[in-house]
Amino acid sequence: MAKKTATVDLSQLRDFADQRIEFIQANPWLIPAGLAIEMIPLALLIHGHAKASIYKKKLQIEREKTKQLTIKAHSGHGHCHHHNHPKHKGHQHFSPAVPKQLLKKG
């Protein structure tokens, strides 16, 4: 195949650039409006990324809590066996709520 050469008429490019400059000078409000239109998706992207990282960290924390509760439940050390001991008069046994991940549906 033969190579095609592209020719550019510099006078047309200059005329086009001059038309753009005149258009912007006649409508200067287009500059902030155009920037705002470009900034909105960028702001949404940054906001979404920040929220995703926050929720990812919260999920990691909840998974670690669930893992710790599972280990505690399986080890049998989760209960206080000293209810009648004199040091523990009035002591109430605290049993944390079981996370939803541990409850079996069925």
Side-chain angles (χ1 to χ4, degrees), residues 46-63:
I46 292 169
H47 178 73
H49 180 71
K51 283 288 189 179
S53 63
I54 288 169
Y55 286 125
K56 184 177 179 182
K57 184 56 79 176
K58 284 183 179 182
L59 180 61
Q60 286 176 340
I61 291 168
E62 289 302 318
R63 283 184 178 157

Side-chain angles (χ1 to χ4, degrees), residues 13-75:
L13 285 178
R14 201 172 313 114
D15 289 342
F16 181 68
D18 290 339
Q19 288 174 353
R20 287 184 10 188
I21 291 171
E22 288 174 16
F23 185 76
I24 294 297
Q25 286 175 343
N27 302 294
W29 59 270
L30 286 173
I31 294 173
L35 287 174
I37 288 172
E38 291 180 12
M39 290 298 146
I40 290 171
L42 180 62
L44 290 173
L45 178 75
I46 292 169
H47 178 73
H49 180 71
K51 283 288 189 179
S53 63
I54 288 169
Y55 286 125
K56 184 177 179 182
K57 184 56 79 176
K58 284 183 179 182
L59 180 61
Q60 286 176 340
I61 291 168
E62 289 302 318
R63 283 184 178 157
E64 184 62 30
K65 284 180 185 178
T66 301
K67 189 166 97 176
Q68 292 297 323
L69 285 172
T70 304
I71 292 169
K72 198 173 188 179
H74 288 298
S75 69

